[in-house]
Amino acid sequence: MAGLVIRNFDAADETRPFEEGKGRLDLLHTAGGPVGLAVFEPGWRWSEHVKPLAGTDSCRSAHTGYVVSGRLKIVMDDGESAEVAAGDFIEVSPGHDAWVVGDEACVTLDWTGYGDYAKPA
């Protein structure tokens, strides 16, 4: 393992586009596991733009991350919900839907849940 690793999402190891051009997930594969930068464009909704790729009724990924910009509404399968915004640290259990709130893209960093996210079933 190198003593110093510097990577940039502009040179991601993998990019996964969302349905209808509503954003993308850029992944860096690291020694500690995948780290993802997701860009959710205005109008993006998991149940419309990722569900067809995932093939599940709700998002089955657990997320630990940080909201860089924009806002998301997250609704758990049991009805619990919250809105997150730039500057928020988030932990989200599997079993949820989410969508962009407003006219600004939402950008998130995630270091636990994006390894299999938006990967065709």
Side-chain angles (χ1 to χ4, degrees):
M1 178 167 128
L4 179 62
V5 176
I6 299 171
R7 305 282 310 276
N8 191 299
F9 284 101
D10 288 339
D13 295 316
E14 185 178 352
T15 296
R16 298 178 190 158
F18 301 143
E19 296 283 310
E20 299 176 23
K22 289 294 184 179
R24 70 183 186 286
L25 169 64
D26 294 326
L27 278 175
L28 297 177
H29 300 291
T30 75
V35 177
L37 176 76
V39 178
F40 306 107
E41 297 293 344
W44 176 89
R45 186 178 184 123
W46 185 91
S47 54
E48 295 175 19
H49 302 103
V50 179
K51 180 179 179 176
L53 300 168
T56 57
D57 287 336
S58 61
C59 181
R60 305 312 305 160
S61 294
H63 303 286
T64 305
Y66 178 77
V67 182
V68 177
S69 63
R71 296 181 319 191
L72 279 180
K73 175 80 174 206
I74 302 168
V75 179
M76 304 301 295
D77 289 351
D78 68 4
E80 179 182 5
S81 68
E83 189 173 304
V84 298
D88 288 342
F89 167 83
I90 57 173
E91 289 182 306
V92 183
S93 297
H96 57 272
D97 193 4
W99 55 89
V100 172
V101 175
D103 296 329
E104 178 185 359
C106 182
V107 177
T108 64
L109 283 168
D110 187 312
W111 47 90
T112 61
Y114 283 165
D116 291 325
Y117 190 82
K119 197 176 214 179

